[in-house]
């Protein structure tokens, strides 16, 4: 009886949320549709090819702009007020300059050289499929949500198992060890990895969902922005107020064999978060709704005197 009531309540809440979001989208769609029509017709020449071509560089622009802000903190240690939000309090800030430059160099190669080459065989099928539809028309709210959800599920599956693959000793030693040089990660280290790992574990899981859902160019752009913001937050090393918690992935970098996924769904299924659930970091794994740092809300256990 209780379970049945709970299910009914959850369905009602879900339907209410979707209704309000649909109403919001319907009320504002004319605005977004007008903007997209101008861009698509006046700047992209009504070309599906150009519509998909510009998506990747725009997604990477978001990645580098946001990481540029975090790099200022990493290079200078300022503004110092942010240091209280460090996930790993023992991490040195400012970081070693030579180490950061090495990280930036490989990340730039992966995202600005290798990434575009990998993107070509993915956007060509999307361009072909879009020929049968009017790309100038934005998708409905429900279609956009379904496409984004499909992308997220595919990424969770692809990244989790790809990540587990690279933790097999043979592959870890030859490939994934590079990424784990940062036991206390920084934002730009999100794509600091061997190029083969970048292709298999990062790029393909993100792009495959868009292929399977035949995503609209605008939905694909939104997806890439979400991915680049998410991966930056999960590696930035700062648990900032009103932003998603990055305690789980930071814990992975510190402990190596926990929290392999993005959403945490497959970590729960396979039990690869058991130690994390028992940790202080898990208690801090919340969205901060005030300016009080997570390490203050949930302090470490006092060290025992020998």
């Amino acid at each position: 009886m209780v379970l049945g009531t709970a299910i009914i309540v959850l369905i009602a809440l879900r339907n209410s949320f979707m209704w309000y979001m649909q109403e919001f989208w319907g009320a504002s769609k004319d605005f977004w549709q007008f903007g997209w029509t101008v861009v698509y017709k006046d700047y992209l020449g009504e070309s599906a090819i150009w519509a998909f071509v510009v998506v990747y560089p725009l997604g990477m622009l978001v990645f580098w702009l946001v990481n540029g802000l975090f790099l200022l903190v990493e290079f200078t240690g300022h503004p110092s007020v942010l240091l209280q939000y460090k996930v790993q309090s023992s991490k040195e800030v400012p970081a070693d300059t030579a180490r950061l430059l090495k990280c930036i160099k490989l990340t730039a190669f992966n995202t600005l050289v290798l990434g575009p080459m990998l993107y070509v065989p993915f956007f060509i099928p999307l361009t072909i499929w879009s020929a049968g539809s009017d790309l100038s028309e934005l998708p409905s709210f429900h279609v956009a949500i379904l496409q984004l959800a499909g992308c997220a599920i595919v990424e969770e599956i692809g990244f989790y198992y790809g990540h587990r693959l690279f933790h097999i000793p043979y592959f870890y030693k030859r490939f994934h060890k590079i990424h784990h040089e940062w036991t206390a990660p920084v934002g730009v280290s999100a794509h600091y990895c061997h190029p083969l790992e970048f292709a298999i574990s990062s790029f393909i899981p993100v792009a495959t969902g868009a292929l399977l859902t035949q995503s609209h160019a605008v939905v694909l752009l939104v997806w890439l922005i979400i991915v680049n913001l998410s991966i930056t937050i999960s590696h930035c090393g700062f648990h900032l107020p009103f932003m998603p918690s990055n305690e789980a992935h930071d814990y992975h970098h510190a402990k190596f064999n926990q929290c392999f996924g993005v959403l945490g769904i497959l970590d729960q299924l396979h039990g690869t978060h058991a130690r994390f659930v028992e940790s202080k970091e898990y208690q801090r794994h919340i969205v901060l709704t005030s300016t009080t740092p997570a390490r203050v809300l949930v302090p470490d256990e006092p060290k025992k005197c020998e």
Side-chain angles (χ1 to χ4, degrees):
M1 181 68 179
V2 174
L3 179 60
T5 302
I7 292 174
I8 292 173
V9 170
L10 287 174
I11 293 174
L13 290 173
R14 175 262 185 196
N15 289 340
S16 296
F17 173 77
M18 293 297 291
W19 184 86
Y20 280 112
M21 291 303 296
Q22 180 68 58
E23 288 296 301
F24 169 77
W25 177 252
S28 61
K29 186 180 178 182
D30 289 343
F31 171 78
W32 298 114
Q33 181 63 64
F34 174 78
W36 170 242
T37 300
V38 171
V39 170
Y40 185 61
K41 292 186 176 181
D42 296 347
Y43 293 96
L44 300 177
E46 298 187 76
S47 168
I49 294 176
W50 279 111
F52 283 102
V53 164
V54 300
V55 165
Y56 183 83
L58 288 175
M60 282 300 113
L61 178 63
V62 171
F63 175 82
W64 283 103
L65 285 176
V66 175
N67 274 287
L69 299 176
F70 281 116
L71 282 171
L72 287 176
V73 182
E74 297 295 345
F75 274 119
T76 67
H78 296 288
S80 58
V81 67
L82 293 180
L83 302 186
Q84 64 184 316
Y85 297 107
K86 289 299 303 175
V87 177
Q88 297 185 42
S89 60
S90 60
K91 180 188 170 189
E92 294 183 4
V93 178
D96 179 73
T97 300
R99 191 170 177 230
L100 268 179
L101 291 175
K102 177 186 175 185
C103 178
I104 292 170
K105 182 179 178 181
L106 180 55
T107 298
F109 173 80
N110 283 337
T111 58
L112 304 180
V113 179
L114 179 59
M117 291 190 292
L118 294 171
Y119 183 64
V120 171
F122 278 91
F123 90 79
I124 289 177
L126 288 171
T127 303
I128 295 172
W129 290 331
S130 68
S133 61
D134 184 6
L135 200 60
S136 66
E137 181 72 20
L138 289 177
S140 68
F141 174 76
H142 284 89
V143 170
I145 290 298
L146 285 173
Q147 289 179 351
L148 289 172
C151 289
I153 292 170
V154 172
E155 185 202 17
E156 171 74 358
I157 295 171
F159 180 79
Y160 180 87
Y161 292 111
H163 197 178
R164 290 291 299 273
L165 173 69
F166 280 106
H167 271 265
I168 295 173
Y170 178 87
F171 296 109
Y172 181 87
K173 180 180 179 180
R174 289 165 175 77
F175 302 105
H176 194 48
K177 188 176 181 180
I178 296 174
H179 186 66
H180 273 282
E181 289 175 9
W182 292 87
T183 55
V186 295
V188 76
S189 70
H191 291 305
Y192 176 73
C193 56
H194 190 284
L196 181 65
E197 179 185 351
F198 175 78
I200 294 176
S201 186
S202 296
F203 188 92
I204 291 177
V206 169
T208 301
L211 274 181
L212 295 178
T213 60
Q214 299 184 22
S215 294
H216 188 280
V218 173
V219 174
L220 178 57
L221 175 60
V222 172
W223 170 237
L224 290 184
I225 291 173
I226 291 172
V227 168
N228 281 301
L229 289 176
S230 173
I231 196 171
T232 296
I233 291 171
S234 66
H235 285 85
C236 74
F238 294 89
H239 188 165
L240 298 172
F242 311 108
M243 293 180 65
S245 169
N246 51 8
E247 298 284 348
H249 195 73
D250 204 282
Y251 190 83
H252 172 76
H253 274 263
K255 305 300 182 182
F256 296 96
N257 61 354
Q258 294 282 294
C259 305
F260 293 93
V262 178
L263 302 175
I265 297 172
L266 291 176
D267 281 304
Q268 291 186 344
L269 178 65
H270 293 289
T272 47
H273 70 323
R275 285 171 54 196
F276 174 63
V277 170
E278 297 173 351
S279 69
K280 286 286 184 180
E281 287 81 357
Y282 180 76
Q283 296 178 40
R284 300 174 186 139
H285 191 43
I286 58 173
V287 175
L288 298 177
T289 56
S290 71
T291 56
T292 305
R295 298 185 70 88
V296 174
L297 292 173
V298 184
D300 290 325
E301 296 289 347
K303 295 183 178 180
K304 296 180 180 180
C305 297
E306 296 183 358

